[in-house]
Amino acid sequence: MPPTKRRKTDEENIKGRYNLDKVKATKEWIKETFEIQNIRKKGEALELKALQILRAQNIITNMSKAHLLEETKEGTKLKQIIGDGGIDLFGEITIHEQTIQWIGQCKMTKQLTNTVINEMKGLLSTRPNTIGIIIYGGSKSSQTESIVETSNSDIFLSHIHQEIFYVGGYCNNFVFKGY
């Protein structure tokens, strides 16, 4: 009888697909993504990149869809709006040997606005024991940082290119407000 080939585990499959060194967001990727004219495609590009980076760190990550696009001869058109309740990504992360639910919002805009922070605060107020991650591709103001720091919620601001986005080590050194 010929030897049987061992099947890869789910974890091995994910690690193979999402090698952190291969999926990190480069400055070139950010530049190319900002050049995308269709705002929905630009947002989806950031969501997919964030999903890949988080999964490469063994963080359970799922993506929600707010709309369906359709490719036509004239270009990309909006087929249907589904709505995602303001949540682009969600999953679980283990911090201090505790599994915590998280939700994420991705924004590929030139400037991260206070409105995004306030929306995340509202989402977290209805989800106890959940942290929020806002992943952005542009810049942020000191006022935006101040709103996060004075919030009663656990919110992480993370630029797609910064090492701080690689949250595994960052979260282990963070004292959560709600825990």
Side-chain angles (χ1 to χ4, degrees):
M1 175 179 246
T4 58
K5 188 175 177 182
R6 184 181 77 83
R7 289 183 168 230
K8 289 184 178 180
T9 65
D10 288 341
E11 186 175 335
E12 289 170 326
N13 282 325
I14 289 171
K15 282 183 179 179
R17 265 188 291 168
Y18 300 108
N19 178 313
L20 189 55
D21 290 329
K22 292 180 182 176
V23 299
K24 282 186 176 180
T26 63
K27 289 181 181 177
E28 293 77 27
W29 179 87
I30 293 169
K31 183 179 181 230
E32 289 171 11
T33 304
F34 265 118
E35 291 172 0
I36 297 172
Q37 296 299 311
N38 184 306
I39 58 171
R40 287 186 176 91
K41 282 189 170 185
K42 188 185 302 185
E44 284 182 352
L46 178 60
E47 291 167 17
L48 181 59
K49 181 59 76 176
L51 175 116
Q52 292 170 341
I53 292 169
L54 290 163
R55 284 187 175 172
Q57 298 175 88
N58 295 320
I59 297 171
I60 297 170
T61 307
N62 298 294
M63 184 185 299
S64 61
K65 283 294 234 182
H67 55 269
L68 298 175
L69 300 177
E70 180 177 46
E71 294 295 330
T72 65
K73 292 177 186 174
E74 294 83 32
T76 304
K77 291 190 175 185
L78 179 64
K79 183 176 179 178
Q80 181 181 2
I81 296 176
I82 302 167
D84 62 7
I87 299 170
D88 296 324
L89 303 169
F90 61 96
E92 294 179 349
I93 184 170
T94 302
I95 304 167
H96 304 301
E97 298 179 20
Q98 181 180 2
T99 301
I100 299 170
Q101 303 291 314
W102 66 269
I103 57 175
Q105 176 67 294
C106 299
K107 289 294 178 189
M108 195 67 177
T109 56
K110 299 247 183 246
Q111 178 79 30
L112 185 63
T113 64
N114 298 342
T115 305
V116 176
I117 310 303
N118 290 326
E119 286 173 2
M120 179 61 78
K121 285 167 57 176
L123 289 168
L124 291 172
S125 71
T126 63
R127 292 168 175 81
N129 302 321
T130 302
I131 63 173
I133 303 173
I134 299 172
I135 303 151
Y136 63 99
S139 61
K140 67 180 182 327
S141 68
S142 57
Q143 184 184 21
T144 302
E145 284 186 39
S146 177
I147 291 172
V148 170
E149 288 172 11
T150 58
S151 168
N152 292 331
S153 304
D154 290 313
I155 300 174
F156 292 95
L157 290 182
S158 186
H159 192 278
I160 191 71
H161 181 63
Q162 292 173 332
E163 290 300 318
I164 203 168
F165 181 61
Y166 307 101
V167 295
Y170 177 66
C171 288
N172 285 326
N173 297 320
F174 188 79
V175 177
F176 289 96
K177 297 172 186 171
Y179 299 91

